[in-house]
Amino acid sequence: NQSINNVEAYDLICVEPLTKKTIFVQVKCSVNSSFPIGMNIGNASDLNYLQKRIVGPWVFVRLIIDDGGYKPEFYVLTKDEMIEITHASNDWYVHQYFRTTPVKSTNACALTTHFLSGVDINQTNTHAMFHNPFKKKNMKEDWKKLMP
């Protein structure tokens, strides 16, 4: 739409035809398992910022190379799920990695398919275990989350 400027918090406006309920959807796409989410680590670690900045559901589209083309894989999160996984994963990344120098709060923040798939990340010699709050919860193609 040429009449609307770029909006930082959402990419799509969806309107339910019968009720006229409107939701704002953020969409992120990647050809690998990591999705930059358009904010830095400092902001992604701030729960108040996340509650103001994330205004609706998020859809992550992973494009997997398949027979010379791309096969899309979709992950759908509600607003509350997006806030929860962003905050939990960043708290782990900032505080549970065994580093000699701290992470810069200005570094870009990303979510991986591990976080979006409800998978725990085992402890290694470089980080503590990540207990995924969505354990055993599949975020793939859960389209009903778009219009609750």
Side-chain angles (χ1 to χ4, degrees), residues 40 43 113 118 135 140 145:
N40 64 41
N43 288 338
T113 54
K135 193 171 187 171
K140 280 190 181 177
K145 292 179 182 178

PDB file of all heavy atoms in Angstrom, residues 40 43 113 118 135 140 145:
ATOM      1  N   ASN A  40      17.317  -4.742  19.462  1.00  0.00           N
ATOM      2  CA  ASN A  40      18.608  -5.138  20.023  1.00  0.00           C
ATOM      3  C   ASN A  40      18.408  -5.957  21.301  1.00  0.00           C
ATOM      4  O   ASN A  40      17.294  -6.049  21.832  1.00  0.00           O
ATOM      5  CB  ASN A  40      19.517  -3.927  20.242  1.00  0.00           C
ATOM      6  CG  ASN A  40      18.980  -2.953  21.267  1.00  0.00           C
ATOM      7  OD1 ASN A  40      18.449  -3.320  22.303  1.00  0.00           O
ATOM      8  ND2 ASN A  40      19.140  -1.667  20.974  1.00  0.00           N
ATOM      9  N   ASN A  43      16.875  -4.096  24.400  1.00  0.00           N
ATOM     10  CA  ASN A  43      15.422  -3.931  24.349  1.00  0.00           C
ATOM     11  C   ASN A  43      14.705  -5.268  24.499  1.00  0.00           C
ATOM     12  O   ASN A  43      13.662  -5.355  25.149  1.00  0.00           O
ATOM     13  CB  ASN A  43      15.003  -3.260  23.045  1.00  0.00           C
ATOM     14  CG  ASN A  43      15.381  -1.801  23.011  1.00  0.00           C
ATOM     15  OD1 ASN A  43      15.579  -1.172  24.033  1.00  0.00           O
ATOM     16  ND2 ASN A  43      15.506  -1.261  21.817  1.00  0.00           N
ATOM     17  N   THR A 113      14.938 -21.440  15.397  1.00  0.00           N
ATOM     18  CA  THR A 113      13.860 -22.431  15.343  1.00  0.00           C
ATOM     19  C   THR A 113      13.831 -23.306  16.593  1.00  0.00           C
ATOM     20  O   THR A 113      12.782 -23.846  16.925  1.00  0.00           O
ATOM     21  CB  THR A 113      13.970 -23.314  14.083  1.00  0.00           C
ATOM     22  OG1 THR A 113      15.273 -23.887  14.022  1.00  0.00           O
ATOM     23  CG2 THR A 113      13.707 -22.499  12.827  1.00  0.00           C
ATOM     24  N   GLY A 118       9.812 -25.163  20.634  1.00  0.00           N
ATOM     25  CA  GLY A 118       9.586 -25.695  21.975  1.00  0.00           C
ATOM     26  C   GLY A 118      10.656 -26.665  22.432  1.00  0.00           C
ATOM     27  O   GLY A 118      10.422 -27.494  23.298  1.00  0.00           O
ATOM     28  N   LYS A 135       7.920 -25.981  25.834  1.00  0.00           N
ATOM     29  CA  LYS A 135       8.264 -27.393  25.709  1.00  0.00           C
ATOM     30  C   LYS A 135       7.014 -28.204  25.356  1.00  0.00           C
ATOM     31  O   LYS A 135       5.958 -28.040  25.957  1.00  0.00           O
ATOM     32  CB  LYS A 135       8.866 -27.904  27.014  1.00  0.00           C
ATOM     33  CG  LYS A 135       9.527 -29.235  26.901  1.00  0.00           C
ATOM     34  CD  LYS A 135      10.278 -29.548  28.178  1.00  0.00           C
ATOM     35  CE  LYS A 135      11.069 -30.811  27.977  1.00  0.00           C
ATOM     36  NZ  LYS A 135      11.961 -31.039  29.102  1.00  0.00           N
ATOM     37  N   LYS A 140       4.314 -24.607  14.927  1.00  0.00           N
ATOM     38  CA  LYS A 140       4.238 -24.692  13.467  1.00  0.00           C
ATOM     39  C   LYS A 140       2.792 -24.601  12.994  1.00  0.00           C
ATOM     40  O   LYS A 140       1.926 -25.328  13.458  1.00  0.00           O
ATOM     41  CB  LYS A 140       4.855 -25.999  12.967  1.00  0.00           C
ATOM     42  CG  LYS A 140       6.348 -25.959  12.890  1.00  0.00           C
ATOM     43  CD  LYS A 140       6.863 -27.188  12.172  1.00  0.00           C
ATOM     44  CE  LYS A 140       8.357 -27.173  12.101  1.00  0.00           C
ATOM     45  NZ  LYS A 140       8.881 -28.381  11.477  1.00  0.00           N
ATOM     46  N   LYS A 145      -4.102 -18.821  15.909  1.00  0.00           N
ATOM     47  CA  LYS A 145      -3.592 -17.777  16.813  1.00  0.00           C
ATOM     48  C   LYS A 145      -3.722 -16.379  16.215  1.00  0.00           C
ATOM     49  O   LYS A 145      -3.629 -15.396  16.923  1.00  0.00           O
ATOM     50  CB  LYS A 145      -2.124 -18.050  17.140  1.00  0.00           C
ATOM     51  CG  LYS A 145      -1.925 -19.269  17.982  1.00  0.00           C
ATOM     52  CD  LYS A 145      -0.459 -19.483  18.224  1.00  0.00           C
ATOM     53  CE  LYS A 145      -0.235 -20.738  19.022  1.00  0.00           C
ATOM     54  NZ  LYS A 145       1.196 -20.996  19.231  1.00  0.00           N
TER      55      LYS A 145
END
